[in-house]
Amino acid sequence: QVHLVESGGGVVQPGRSRRLSCAASGFTFSDYGMHWVRQAPGKGLEWVAIISYDGSNEYYADSVKGRFTVSRDNSKNILYLQMNSLRAEDTAVYYCAQDYCSGGACYVFAYWGQGTLVTVSS
Amino acid sequence: EIVMTQSPATLSVSPGERGTLSCRASQSVSSNLAWYQQKLGQAPRLLIYGASTRATGIPARFSGSGSGTEFTLTISSLQSEDFAVYYCQQNNDWPPTFGQGTRLEIK
């Protein structure tokens, strides 16, 4: 049974940094690409970033490119999102999600964590 | 990027009746279309991928259809647990994009 648990959310001042974590279990973590998807309060879903199964490739939404970095530790089954230069518009629940396709990336979000709320405010 | 537009924004249906949700893409996404269900305070759940394939554990009352730019999610006989927000998402072109959601509420 796939289980994803995010942590690291909280209140952070504009311009500061925050690192989110996503602990994975119930599947072979190193076989799957992993995503971050966010949802601003009362709004819809926005894809943020993907990292390939082996960590060799990363892609980002234009809205976060150059500020956010996704990484993973396959020895610990943990996914990370380093968020720098945070802005008010980054306020959202951040979800980690497993890509549906093993060994590749098909950008279908098969399983989701419960999310962690990041609030950017002074 | 491809813009996904869902209609209606809110759909009111009585339990036991059929619910039909629509999703339109600004350009063709072939059959690379997924549907998600999100209940209040919960994470989204994958329902349908490839426009018409049910994900693991999804009841048969959920069905998806369409290709190109027009897609439909049908719930054949609504149960109380089906009242939620539904999102479509295209995975044909990068970046992946979501519709704004349809809220399915009890009539």
Side-chain angles (χ1 to χ4, degrees):
Chain A
Q1 179 181 356
V2 174
H3 198 45
L4 300 169
V5 179
E6 301 92 338
S7 60
V11 180
V12 58
Q13 294 180 330
R16 303 298 290 268
S17 298
R18 196 82 172 186
R19 188 177 81 159
L20 306 182
S21 300
C22 169
S25 61
F27 66 104
T28 304
F29 183 67
S30 58
D31 281 353
Y32 290 87
M34 294 294 296
H35 301 265
W36 288 98
V37 179
R38 69 184 180 182
Q39 186 170 37
K43 302 298 184 182
L45 301 165
E46 178 189 17
W47 175 80
V48 172
I50 181 178
I51 185 166
S52 61
Y53 66 98
D54 60 357
S56 62
N57 292 291
E58 309 154 30
Y59 299 97
Y60 300 90
D62 287 346
S63 57
V64 306
K65 193 178 301 181
R67 300 187 299 123
F68 289 12
T69 302
V70 59
S71 61
R72 64 191 297 161
D73 185 335
N74 283 349
S75 69
K76 297 180 179 178
N77 292 353
I78 301 178
L79 173 73
Y80 299 101
L81 184 67
Q82 178 66 43
M83 304 185 294
N84 298 333
S85 303
L86 282 162
R87 306 167 180 168
E89 54 265 36
D90 295 319
T91 294
V93 174
Y94 285 76
Y95 297 101
C96 63
Q98 180 206 54
D99 194 278
Y100 184 83
C101 296
S102 170
C106 52
Y107 289 84
V108 173
F109 312 110
Y111 295 97
W112 302 60
Q114 86 289 348
T116 188
L117 175 62
V118 175
T119 302
V120 183
S121 174
S122 54
Chain B
E1 68 180 41
I2 295 177
V3 176
M4 308 300 294
T5 303
Q6 294 184 241
S7 61
T10 302
L11 180 63
S12 299
V13 182
S14 300
E17 293 188 341
R18 176 189 299 258
T20 303
L21 290 69
S22 297
C23 176
R24 174 177 292 177
S26 60
Q27 63 190 74
S28 176
V29 298
S30 186
S31 294
N32 296 310
L33 191 285
W35 290 94
Y36 301 85
Q37 176 194 66
Q38 187 177 32
K39 297 180 181 179
L40 188 64
Q42 296 185 17
R45 176 175 71 147
L46 177 65
L47 298 175
I48 301 282
Y49 63 93
S52 61
T53 303
R54 279 189 303 277
T56 302
I58 302 304
R61 64 180 181 274
F62 290 91
S63 63
S65 64
S67 66
T69 63
E70 301 284 344
F71 300 88
T72 300
L73 174 69
T74 302
I75 311 168
S76 60
S77 177
L78 279 157
Q79 309 296 304
S80 58
E81 62 266 30
D82 300 334
F83 292 95
V85 178
Y86 291 83
Y87 294 95
C88 63
Q89 176 242 328
Q90 67 83 17
N91 63 310
N92 191 68
D93 279 5
W94 190 93
T97 48
F98 293 88
Q100 80 281 13
T102 290
R103 180 178 304 277
L104 183 55
E105 64 176 28
I106 300 175
K107 187 174 182 179

Coordinates of all heavy atoms in Angstrom, one line a residue, chain A residues 19-101:
Chain A
R19 N 12.3 24.0 3.4 CA 12.4 22.7 2.8 C 11.3 21.8 3.2 O 11.1 21.5 4.4 CB 13.8 22.1 3.1 CG 14.1 20.8 2.2 CD 15.4 20.2 2.5 NE 15.4 19.4 3.7 CZ 16.4 18.4 3.9 NH1 17.3 18.2 3.0 NH2 16.3 17.7 5.0
L20 N 10.7 21.2 2.2 CA 9.6 20.2 2.5 C 10.2 18.8 2.2 O 11.1 18.6 1.4 CB 8.4 20.4 1.5 CG 7.8 21.8 1.5 CD1 6.6 21.8 0.6 CD2 7.4 22.2 2.9
S21 N 9.7 17.8 3.0 CA 10.0 16.4 2.8 C 8.8 15.6 2.5 O 7.7 16.0 2.9 CB 10.8 15.9 4.1 OG 11.9 16.6 4.3
C22 N 9.0 14.5 1.9 CA 7.9 13.5 1.6 C 8.5 12.1 1.8 O 9.4 11.7 1.1 CB 7.4 13.7 0.2 SG 6.3 12.4 -0.3
A23 N 8.1 11.5 2.9 CA 8.5 10.1 3.2 C 7.6 9.1 2.5 O 6.4 9.2 2.6 CB 8.5 9.9 4.7
A24 N 8.2 8.2 1.7 CA 7.5 7.3 0.9 C 7.7 5.8 1.5 O 8.7 5.5 1.9 CB 8.0 7.3 -0.5
S25 N 6.6 5.1 1.4 CA 6.6 3.7 1.7 C 5.6 2.9 1.0 O 4.7 3.5 0.4 CB 6.4 3.5 3.3 OG 5.1 4.0 3.6
G26 N 5.7 1.6 1.0 CA 4.7 0.7 0.3 C 5.0 0.4 -1.1 O 4.2 -0.2 -1.8
F27 N 6.1 1.0 -1.7 CA 6.4 0.7 -3.1 C 7.9 0.9 -3.2 O 8.6 1.4 -2.3 CB 5.7 1.6 -4.0 CG 6.0 3.1 -3.9 CD1 6.8 3.7 -4.9 CD2 5.5 3.9 -2.9 CE1 7.1 5.1 -4.8 CE2 5.8 5.2 -2.8 CZ 6.6 5.8 -3.7
T28 N 8.5 0.5 -4.4 CA 9.9 0.6 -4.6 C 10.1 2.1 -5.1 O 10.0 2.4 -6.3 CB 10.4 -0.4 -5.7 OG1 10.0 -1.7 -5.2 CG2 11.9 -0.3 -5.9
F29 N 10.5 2.9 -4.2 CA 10.6 4.3 -4.4 C 11.5 4.7 -5.6 O 11.2 5.5 -6.4 CB 11.2 5.0 -3.1 CG 11.3 6.5 -3.1 CD1 10.1 7.3 -3.2 CD2 12.5 7.1 -3.1 CE1 10.2 8.7 -3.2 CE2 12.6 8.5 -3.1 CZ 11.5 9.3 -3.1
S30 N 12.6 3.9 -5.7 CA 13.6 4.2 -6.7 C 13.2 3.9 -8.1 O 13.9 4.1 -9.1 CB 14.9 3.5 -6.4 OG 14.7 2.1 -6.3
D31 N 12.0 3.3 -8.2 CA 11.5 2.9 -9.6 C 10.6 4.0 -10.2 O 10.2 3.9 -11.4 CB 10.6 1.6 -9.5 CG 11.5 0.4 -9.4 OD1 12.7 0.5 -9.6 OD2 10.9 -0.7 -9.2
Y32 N 10.2 5.0 -9.4 CA 9.2 6.0 -9.8 C 9.6 7.4 -9.8 O 10.3 7.9 -8.8 CB 7.9 5.8 -9.0 CG 7.2 4.6 -9.2 CD1 7.5 3.4 -8.5 CD2 6.2 4.5 -10.1 CE1 6.9 2.2 -8.7 CE2 5.5 3.3 -10.3 CZ 5.9 2.2 -9.6 OH 5.2 1.0 -9.8
G33 N 9.3 8.1 -10.9 CA 9.4 9.6 -10.8 C 8.4 10.1 -9.8 O 7.4 9.5 -9.5
M34 N 8.8 11.2 -9.2 CA 8.0 11.8 -8.1 C 7.7 13.3 -8.4 O 8.6 14.0 -9.0 CB 8.7 11.7 -6.8 CG 8.8 10.3 -6.3 SD 7.3 9.4 -5.9 CE 6.7 10.4 -4.5
H35 N 6.5 13.8 -8.0 CA 6.1 15.1 -8.3 C 5.8 15.9 -7.1 O 5.5 15.3 -6.0 CB 4.8 15.1 -9.2 CG 4.9 14.4 -10.5 ND1 5.2 15.0 -11.7 CD2 4.8 13.1 -10.8 CE1 5.2 14.2 -12.6 NE2 4.9 13.0 -12.1
W36 N 5.8 17.2 -7.2 CA 5.2 18.1 -6.3 C 4.1 18.8 -7.0 O 4.3 19.3 -8.1 CB 6.2 19.1 -5.7 CG 7.2 18.5 -4.7 CD1 8.5 18.1 -5.0 CD2 7.0 18.2 -3.3 NE1 9.0 17.6 -3.9 CE2 8.1 17.6 -2.8 CE3 5.9 18.4 -2.5 CZ2 8.3 17.2 -1.5 CZ3 6.0 18.0 -1.1 CH2 7.2 17.4 -0.7
V37 N 2.9 18.9 -6.4 CA 1.8 19.6 -6.9 C 1.2 20.5 -5.7 O 1.2 20.0 -4.6 CB 0.7 18.6 -7.3 CG1 -0.6 19.4 -7.9 CG2 1.2 17.7 -8.4
R38 N 0.8 21.7 -6.0 CA 0.4 22.6 -5.0 C -1.1 23.1 -5.2 O -1.5 23.0 -6.4 CB 1.3 23.7 -4.8 CG 1.3 24.7 -5.9 CD 2.4 25.8 -5.6 NE 2.5 26.8 -6.7 CZ 3.4 27.8 -6.7 NH1 4.2 27.9 -5.7 NH2 3.4 28.7 -7.7
Q39 N -1.7 23.5 -4.2 CA -3.0 24.0 -4.2 C -3.2 25.2 -3.3 O -3.1 25.0 -2.1 CB -4.0 22.9 -3.8 CG -5.5 23.3 -4.0 CD -6.4 22.1 -3.8 OE1 -6.1 21.2 -3.0 NE2 -7.5 22.0 -4.6
A40 N -3.3 26.4 -3.9 CA -3.5 27.6 -3.1 C -4.9 27.5 -2.4 O -5.8 26.8 -2.9 CB -3.5 28.8 -4.0
P41 N -5.0 28.1 -1.2 CA -6.3 28.0 -0.5 C -7.5 28.3 -1.3 O -7.6 29.4 -1.9 CB -6.1 29.1 0.6 CG -4.6 29.1 0.8 CD -4.0 29.0 -0.6
G42 N -8.4 27.4 -1.4 CA -9.7 27.6 -2.1 C -9.5 27.5 -3.6 O -10.5 27.8 -4.4
K43 N -8.3 27.2 -4.1 CA -8.1 27.2 -5.6 C -7.9 25.8 -6.1 O -8.0 24.8 -5.4 CB -6.8 28.1 -5.8 CG -7.0 29.5 -5.3 CD -8.1 30.2 -6.0 CE -8.1 31.7 -5.6 NZ -9.3 32.4 -6.2
G44 N -7.5 25.7 -7.4 CA -7.3 24.5 -8.1 C -5.9 24.0 -7.9 O -5.1 24.5 -7.1
L45 N -5.5 22.9 -8.7 CA -4.3 22.3 -8.6 C -3.3 22.8 -9.6 O -3.6 23.1 -10.7 CB -4.5 20.8 -8.8 CG -5.4 20.1 -7.8 CD1 -5.9 18.7 -8.4 CD2 -4.8 19.9 -6.5
E46 N -2.0 22.9 -9.2 CA -0.9 23.4 -10.0 C 0.3 22.5 -9.9 O 0.8 22.3 -8.8 CB -0.5 24.8 -9.7 CG 0.6 25.4 -10.5 CD 1.1 26.7 -10.0 OE1 0.9 27.1 -8.9 OE2 1.9 27.4 -10.8
W47 N 0.7 21.9 -11.0 CA 1.9 21.1 -11.0 C 3.1 22.0 -10.7 O 3.2 23.1 -11.3 CB 2.0 20.3 -12.3 CG 3.3 19.6 -12.4 CD1 3.6 18.4 -11.9 CD2 4.5 20.0 -13.1 NE1 4.9 18.0 -12.2 CE2 5.5 19.0 -12.9 CE3 4.8 21.1 -13.9 CZ2 6.7 19.1 -13.5 CZ3 6.1 21.2 -14.4 CH2 7.0 20.2 -14.2
V48 N 4.1 21.5 -9.9 CA 5.2 22.3 -9.5 C 6.5 21.8 -10.1 O 7.3 22.5 -10.7 CB 5.3 22.4 -8.0 CG1 6.6 23.1 -7.5 CG2 4.1 23.2 -7.4
A49 N 6.8 20.5 -9.9 CA 8.1 19.9 -10.3 C 8.0 18.4 -10.3 O 7.1 17.8 -9.7 CB 9.1 20.3 -9.3
I50 N 9.0 17.9 -11.1 CA 9.1 16.4 -11.1 C 10.6 16.1 -11.0 O 11.5 16.9 -11.5 CB 8.6 15.8 -12.5 CG1 8.8 14.3 -12.5 CG2 9.2 16.5 -13.7 CD1 8.2 13.6 -13.7
I51 N 10.9 15.0 -10.4 CA 12.3 14.4 -10.4 C 12.2 13.0 -10.9 O 11.3 12.3 -10.5 CB 13.0 14.5 -9.1 CG1 14.4 14.1 -9.2 CG2 12.2 13.8 -8.0 CD1 15.3 14.4 -7.9
S52 N 13.1 12.6 -11.8 CA 13.1 11.3 -12.4 C 13.4 10.2 -11.3 O 13.8 10.6 -10.2 CB 14.1 11.2 -13.5 OG 15.4 11.4 -13.1
Y53 N 13.1 9.0 -11.6 CA 13.2 7.9 -10.6 C 14.6 7.8 -10.0 O 14.8 7.5 -8.9 CB 12.9 6.6 -11.3 CG 13.8 6.1 -12.4 CD1 14.8 5.2 -12.1 CD2 13.7 6.6 -13.7 CE1 15.7 4.8 -13.1 CE2 14.6 6.2 -14.7 CZ 15.6 5.3 -14.4 OH 16.5 4.9 -15.3
D54 N 15.6 8.2 -10.9 CA 17.0 8.0 -10.4 C 17.6 9.4 -10.0 O 18.8 9.5 -9.7 CB 17.9 7.4 -11.4 CG 17.9 8.1 -12.8 OD1 17.2 9.1 -12.9 OD2 18.6 7.7 -13.7
G55 N 16.8 10.4 -10.1 CA 17.3 11.8 -9.7 C 18.1 12.5 -10.7 O 18.6 13.5 -10.5
S56 N 18.2 11.9 -11.9 CA 19.1 12.5 -13.0 C 18.4 13.6 -13.7 O 19.1 14.4 -14.4 CB 19.5 11.4 -14.0 OG 18.3 10.8 -14.6
N57 N 17.1 13.7 -13.7 CA 16.4 14.8 -14.4 C 15.4 15.5 -13.5 O 14.7 14.8 -12.7 CB 15.7 14.3 -15.6 CG 16.7 13.8 -16.7 OD1 17.4 14.6 -17.3 ND2 16.8 12.5 -16.8
E58 N 15.3 16.8 -13.6 CA 14.3 17.6 -12.9 C 13.7 18.6 -13.9 O 14.4 19.1 -14.7 CB 15.0 18.4 -11.8 CG 15.9 17.6 -10.9 CD 17.0 18.5 -10.2 OE1 16.7 19.7 -10.1 OE2 18.1 18.0 -9.9
Y59 N 12.4 18.8 -13.6 CA 11.7 19.8 -14.4 C 10.8 20.6 -13.5 O 10.3 20.1 -12.6 CB 10.9 19.2 -15.6 CG 11.8 18.4 -16.5 CD1 12.0 17.0 -16.4 CD2 12.5 19.1 -17.5 CE1 12.8 16.3 -17.3 CE2 13.3 18.4 -18.4 CZ 13.5 17.0 -18.3 OH 14.3 16.3 -19.1
Y60 N 10.6 21.9 -13.9 CA 9.9 22.8 -13.0 C 8.9 23.6 -13.8 O 9.1 23.9 -15.0 CB 10.9 23.8 -12.3 CG 11.9 23.1 -11.5 CD1 13.1 22.7 -12.0 CD2 11.7 22.8 -10.2 CE1 14.1 22.0 -11.3 CE2 12.6 22.1 -9.4 CZ 13.8 21.7 -10.0 OH 14.7 21.1 -9.2
A61 N 7.8 24.0 -13.1 CA 6.9 25.0 -13.6 C 7.6 26.3 -13.7 O 8.5 26.6 -12.9 CB 5.6 25.1 -12.7
D62 N 7.2 27.1 -14.7 CA 7.8 28.4 -14.9 C 7.7 29.3 -13.6 O 8.6 30.1 -13.3 CB 7.2 29.1 -16.1 CG 7.6 28.5 -17.4 OD1 8.6 27.8 -17.4 OD2 7.0 28.9 -18.4
S63 N 6.6 29.1 -12.9 CA 6.3 29.9 -11.7 C 7.3 29.7 -10.6 O 7.4 30.5 -9.7 CB 4.9 29.7 -11.2 OG 4.7 28.3 -10.9
V64 N 8.0 28.6 -10.6 CA 9.0 28.3 -9.5 C 10.4 28.1 -10.0 O 11.3 27.9 -9.2 CB 8.5 27.1 -8.7 CG1 7.1 27.2 -8.2 CG2 8.7 25.8 -9.5
K65 N 10.6 28.1 -11.3 CA 11.9 27.8 -11.9 C 12.9 28.8 -11.4 O 12.7 30.0 -11.4 CB 11.8 27.8 -13.4 CG 13.1 27.2 -14.1 CD 12.9 27.2 -15.6 CE 11.7 26.5 -16.1 NZ 11.5 26.4 -17.5
G66 N 14.1 28.3 -10.9 CA 15.1 29.1 -10.4 C 15.0 29.4 -8.9 O 16.0 29.9 -8.3
R67 N 13.9 29.1 -8.3 CA 13.7 29.3 -6.9 C 13.5 28.0 -6.1 O 13.9 27.9 -5.0 CB 12.5 30.2 -6.7 CG 12.5 31.6 -7.3 CD 11.3 32.4 -6.9 NE 10.0 31.9 -7.3 CZ 9.1 31.6 -6.4 NH1 9.2 31.8 -5.2 NH2 7.9 31.1 -6.9
F68 N 12.9 27.0 -6.8 CA 12.7 25.8 -6.1 C 13.6 24.7 -6.7 O 13.9 24.7 -7.9 CB 11.2 25.3 -6.3 CG 10.2 26.1 -5.6 CD1 10.4 27.3 -5.0 CD2 8.9 25.6 -5.5 CE1 9.5 28.0 -4.3 CE2 7.9 26.3 -4.8 CZ 8.2 27.5 -4.2
T69 N 14.0 23.7 -5.8 CA 14.8 22.6 -6.3 C 14.2 21.3 -5.7 O 14.0 21.2 -4.5 CB 16.2 22.8 -5.8 OG1 16.8 24.0 -6.3 CG2 17.1 21.6 -6.3
V70 N 14.0 20.4 -6.6 CA 13.5 19.1 -6.1 C 14.7 18.1 -6.1 O 15.6 18.1 -6.9 CB 12.3 18.6 -7.0 CG1 12.8 18.4 -8.5 CG2 11.8 17.3 -6.5
S71 N 14.7 17.3 -5.1 CA 15.7 16.2 -4.9 C 15.2 15.0 -4.3 O 14.0 15.0 -3.8 CB 16.9 16.8 -4.2 OG 16.5 17.1 -2.8
R72 N 15.9 14.0 -4.3 CA 15.5 12.7 -3.6 C 16.6 11.9 -3.1 O 17.8 12.1 -3.6 CB 14.7 11.9 -4.6 CG 15.5 11.4 -5.8 CD 14.5 10.8 -6.9 NE 13.8 9.6 -6.4 CZ 12.7 9.1 -6.9 NH1 12.2 9.7 -8.0 NH2 12.1 8.1 -6.4
D73 N 16.3 11.2 -2.1 CA 17.3 10.2 -1.5 C 16.7 8.9 -1.6 O 15.9 8.5 -0.7 CB 17.6 10.6 0.0 CG 18.7 9.8 0.6 OD1 19.0 8.7 0.1 OD2 19.4 10.3 1.6
N74 N 17.2 8.1 -2.5 CA 16.6 6.8 -2.8 C 17.0 5.8 -1.7 O 16.4 4.7 -1.5 CB 16.9 6.3 -4.1 CG 16.1 6.9 -5.2 OD1 15.1 7.6 -5.0 ND2 16.5 6.7 -6.5
S75 N 18.1 6.1 -1.0 CA 18.5 5.2 0.1 C 17.6 5.3 1.3 O 17.5 4.4 2.1 CB 19.9 5.4 0.5 OG 20.1 6.7 1.1
K76 N 16.9 6.5 1.4 CA 16.0 6.8 2.6 C 14.6 6.8 2.2 O 13.7 7.0 3.0 CB 16.4 8.1 3.3 CG 17.8 8.0 3.9 CD 18.1 9.4 4.5 CE 19.5 9.4 5.2 NZ 19.9 10.7 5.8
N77 N 14.3 6.7 0.9 CA 12.9 6.8 0.4 C 12.3 8.2 0.7 O 11.1 8.2 1.2 CB 12.0 5.7 0.9 CG 12.4 4.3 0.3 OD1 13.3 4.2 -0.6 ND2 11.8 3.3 0.8
I78 N 13.0 9.2 0.5 CA 12.5 10.6 0.8 C 12.7 11.5 -0.4 O 13.7 11.5 -1.0 CB 13.3 11.2 2.0 CG1 13.1 10.3 3.3 CG2 12.7 12.6 2.3 CD1 13.8 10.8 4.5
L79 N 11.6 12.3 -0.6 CA 11.6 13.3 -1.6 C 11.7 14.7 -0.9 O 11.1 14.8 0.1 CB 10.3 13.2 -2.4 CG 10.0 14.2 -3.5 CD1 10.9 14.1 -4.7 CD2 8.5 14.1 -3.9
Y80 N 12.4 15.6 -1.6 CA 12.5 16.9 -1.0 C 12.1 18.0 -2.0 O 12.1 17.8 -3.2 CB 13.9 17.2 -0.6 CG 14.5 16.3 0.4 CD1 15.4 15.2 0.0 CD2 14.3 16.4 1.8 CE1 15.9 14.3 0.9 CE2 14.8 15.5 2.7 CZ 15.6 14.5 2.3 OH 16.2 13.6 3.2
L81 N 11.7 19.2 -1.4 CA 11.5 20.4 -2.2 C 12.1 21.5 -1.4 O 11.6 21.9 -0.4 CB 10.0 20.6 -2.5 CG 9.7 21.8 -3.4 CD1 10.2 21.5 -4.8 CD2 8.2 22.2 -3.4
Q82 N 13.2 22.0 -1.9 CA 13.8 23.2 -1.4 C 13.2 24.4 -2.0 O 13.3 24.6 -3.2 CB 15.3 23.2 -1.6 CG 16.1 24.4 -1.1 CD 16.0 24.5 0.4 OE1 16.2 23.5 1.1 NE2 15.8 25.7 0.9
M83 N 12.6 25.3 -1.2 CA 11.9 26.5 -1.7 C 12.7 27.7 -1.2 O 12.8 28.0 0.0 CB 10.5 26.5 -1.2 CG 9.7 25.2 -1.6 SD 8.0 25.3 -1.2 CE 8.1 25.4 0.6
N84 N 13.2 28.5 -2.2 CA 13.9 29.7 -1.8 C 13.2 30.9 -2.3 O 12.3 30.8 -3.2 CB 15.3 29.7 -2.4 CG 16.2 28.5 -1.9 OD1 16.0 28.1 -0.8 ND2 17.1 28.1 -2.7
S85 N 13.5 32.1 -1.8 CA 12.9 33.3 -2.3 C 11.4 33.3 -2.3 O 10.8 33.6 -3.3 CB 13.5 33.7 -3.7 OG 14.9 33.8 -3.6
L86 N 10.8 32.8 -1.3 CA 9.4 32.6 -1.2 C 8.6 33.9 -1.4 O 9.0 34.9 -0.9 CB 9.0 31.8 0.0 CG 9.3 30.3 0.0 CD1 9.4 29.7 1.3 CD2 8.3 29.6 -0.9
R87 N 7.5 33.7 -2.0 CA 6.6 34.9 -2.3 C 5.2 34.5 -1.7 O 4.9 33.4 -1.5 CB 6.5 35.1 -3.8 CG 7.8 35.3 -4.5 CD 7.6 35.1 -6.0 NE 8.8 35.3 -6.8 CZ 8.9 35.0 -8.1 NH1 7.9 34.6 -8.8 NH2 10.1 35.2 -8.7
A88 N 4.4 35.6 -1.5 CA 3.0 35.4 -1.0 C 2.3 34.4 -1.9 O 1.5 33.6 -1.4 CB 2.3 36.7 -0.9
E89 N 2.5 34.5 -3.2 CA 1.8 33.6 -4.1 C 2.2 32.2 -4.1 O 1.6 31.3 -4.7 CB 1.9 34.1 -5.6 CG 3.3 34.4 -6.1 CD 3.7 35.8 -5.9 OE1 3.4 36.4 -4.9 OE2 4.5 36.3 -6.8
D90 N 3.2 31.8 -3.3 CA 3.6 30.4 -3.1 C 2.8 29.8 -2.0 O 3.0 28.6 -1.7 CB 5.1 30.3 -2.8 CG 6.0 30.8 -3.9 OD1 5.7 30.4 -5.1 OD2 7.0 31.5 -3.7
T91 N 2.0 30.6 -1.3 CA 1.1 30.0 -0.2 C 0.2 29.0 -0.8 O -0.6 29.2 -1.7 CB 0.3 31.2 0.5 OG1 1.2 32.0 1.1 CG2 -0.7 30.6 1.5
A92 N 0.3 27.8 -0.2 CA -0.5 26.6 -0.8 C -0.3 25.4 0.1 O 0.7 25.3 0.9 CB 0.0 26.3 -2.2
V93 N -1.1 24.4 -0.1 CA -0.8 23.1 0.4 C 0.0 22.4 -0.7 O -0.3 22.4 -1.9 CB -2.1 22.3 0.6 CG1 -1.8 20.8 0.9 CG2 -3.0 22.9 1.7
Y94 N 1.1 21.8 -0.3 CA 2.0 21.2 -1.2 C 1.9 19.7 -1.0 O 2.0 19.1 0.1 CB 3.5 21.6 -0.9 CG 3.8 23.0 -1.4 CD1 3.3 24.1 -0.8 CD2 4.5 23.2 -2.6 CE1 3.5 25.4 -1.3 CE2 4.7 24.5 -3.1 CZ 4.2 25.5 -2.4 OH 4.5 26.8 -2.9
Y95 N 1.6 19.0 -2.1 CA 1.4 17.6 -2.2 C 2.6 16.9 -2.9 O 3.0 17.4 -4.0 CB 0.1 17.2 -2.9 CG -1.2 17.6 -2.3 CD1 -1.8 18.7 -2.8 CD2 -1.8 16.9 -1.3 CE1 -3.0 19.1 -2.3 CE2 -3.0 17.3 -0.7 CZ -3.6 18.4 -1.3 OH -4.8 18.8 -0.7
C96 N 3.1 15.8 -2.4 CA 3.9 15.0 -3.2 C 3.1 13.9 -3.8 O 2.0 13.5 -3.3 CB 5.1 14.4 -2.4 SG 4.6 13.2 -1.1
A97 N 3.4 13.5 -5.0 CA 2.7 12.5 -5.7 C 3.6 11.5 -6.5 O 4.6 12.0 -7.1 CB 1.7 13.2 -6.7
Q98 N 3.2 10.3 -6.5 CA 3.9 9.3 -7.3 C 3.5 9.3 -8.8 O 2.2 9.3 -9.0 CB 3.7 7.9 -6.7 CG 4.4 6.8 -7.4 CD 3.7 5.4 -7.2 OE1 2.5 5.3 -7.5 NE2 4.4 4.4 -6.7
D99 N 4.4 9.3 -9.7 CA 4.0 9.2 -11.1 C 3.5 7.8 -11.3 O 3.9 6.8 -10.7 CB 5.3 9.4 -12.0 CG 4.9 9.6 -13.4 OD1 4.7 8.6 -14.2 OD2 4.8 10.8 -13.9
Y100 N 2.5 7.7 -12.2 CA 1.9 6.4 -12.5 C 2.9 5.4 -13.1 O 2.8 4.2 -12.9 CB 0.7 6.6 -13.4 CG -0.1 5.3 -13.7 CD1 -1.0 4.9 -12.8 CD2 0.2 4.6 -14.8 CE1 -1.7 3.7 -13.0 CE2 -0.5 3.4 -15.0 CZ -1.5 3.0 -14.1 OH -2.1 1.8 -14.3
C101 N 3.8 5.9 -14.0 CA 4.6 5.0 -14.8 C 5.9 4.7 -14.1 O 6.7 5.6 -13.6 CB 4.9 5.7 -16.1 SG 3.5 5.9 -17.1

